Amino acid sequence: MRLEKCYFCSSTVYPGHGIRFVRNDSKVFNFCRSKCRAAFKKKRNPRKVRWTKAFRKAHGKELTMDATFDLRRNAMYQ
């Protein structure tokens, strides 16, 4: 089972879902839903649209594992 990535929002597109757009120069674009396809057709920049993963990464909003997320589990207290 091949999982594609949405060209606009970078979410996964499962088989049988989404829309595939092929441009005249044979470049293939996969979209997860019509919201992404409509934004692409309006020539929106994914880095400026607030709900995309590209925006979150560009503006430092993505969650990454660092020292502040250090979880202590199964600690023995005496």
Side-chain angles (χ1 to χ4, degrees):
M1 181 166 79
R2 184 179 174 110
L3 300 178
E4 306 278 343
K5 288 283 183 193
C6 177
Y7 178 79
F8 195 78
C9 71
S10 303
S11 65
T12 56
V13 180
Y14 290 94
H17 295 270
I19 301 164
R20 178 170 286 167
F21 172 67
V22 181
R23 208 163 50 186
N24 286 342
D25 62 350
S26 302
K27 179 149 174 55
V28 178
F29 301 97
N30 295 311
F31 302 108
C32 59
R33 54 186 179 253
S34 59
K35 179 180 182 180
C36 295
R37 182 170 162 244
F40 176 79
K41 282 173 46 176
K42 292 178 184 176
K43 298 186 178 182
R44 300 245 166 97
N45 187 350
R47 287 171 288 172
K48 293 184 178 178
V49 179
R50 296 181 75 85
W51 49 267
T52 62
K53 290 181 185 175
F55 175 89
R56 295 189 64 79
K57 187 168 185 170
H59 291 81
K61 307 252 183 226
E62 66 178 343
L63 293 175
T64 56
M65 294 303 290
D66 58 358
T68 60
F69 290 110
D70 187 22
L71 300 176
R72 298 177 193 271
R73 299 178 66 184
N74 299 334
M76 299 294 290
Y77 296 106
Q78 293 182 350

